Amino acid sequence: MYHEMTIAGLKRQLPLCQLNENLKIGAFVIFGDAELTVACASELLKKAPEFDYIITAEAKGIPLAHEMSRQSGKKYFVARKKPKLYMTGVFDAVVNSITTEGEQHLYLDTAEAEEIKGKRVIIADDVVSLGESLKAVQTLLEKAGANIVANMTILAEGDAASRDDIIYLERLPLFDNDGNAL
């Protein structure tokens, strides 16, 4: 089963995946889809307020943040899933994503935090569902003293589409077991 939708002017087929016994979600993966990544970045940047930096959570938002950075000329950062040896120090935030089992953490390098302190930052991601990853990145930015100017995503899934704190391109519905949009 697939859900066809138009995103940034491009038609895509999203496979429906079982989330739980009563619910399916449309799997949206921009990895490897350069055409879609470029188009989505362009459309999101048209909606963006003035900003200094972009940040995303590792991993699926990275191609989007990279392309938004390339098109805007603004640097981007990645909130990492694990501390790396090159980091000068770290602080973290807890995240419980619906697409990954168990508690996770996102980490920001203290050197990067110093660079974004007091700056206008956009949080970019591919899909916002419950908003747990978004909340974790917001926590990191608050700890860093950054000014969050926008939460931007390609797709707002389910109830996320009714939130007024997210700028998105398209609504992605949830689906019942027969593949009907809810």
Side-chain angles (χ1 to χ4, degrees), residues 1-7 10-16 26 171-173 175 179:
M1 271 191 257
Y2 291 88
H3 173 67
E4 183 176 296
M5 61 187 304
T6 301
I7 308 162
L10 302 171
K11 286 194 184 297
R12 292 298 185 265
Q13 296 278 334
L14 280 55
L16 297 185
R171 178 185 180 275
L172 177 61
F175 302 89

Side-chain angles (χ1 to χ4, degrees), residues 55-95:
I55 190 168
T56 192
E58 189 175 25
K60 288 182 6 184
I62 294 173
L64 176 65
H66 175 84
E67 184 58 26
M68 290 175 74
S69 172
R70 189 189 70 76
Q71 290 183 26
S72 68
K74 305 286 177 95
K75 185 174 179 178
Y76 77 97
F77 298 95
V78 177
R80 304 298 304 259
K81 290 181 179 177
K82 293 187 178 196
K84 302 297 179 186
L85 292 175
Y86 62 81
M87 294 177 160
T88 58
V90 296
F91 52 91
D92 74 317
V94 174
V95 60

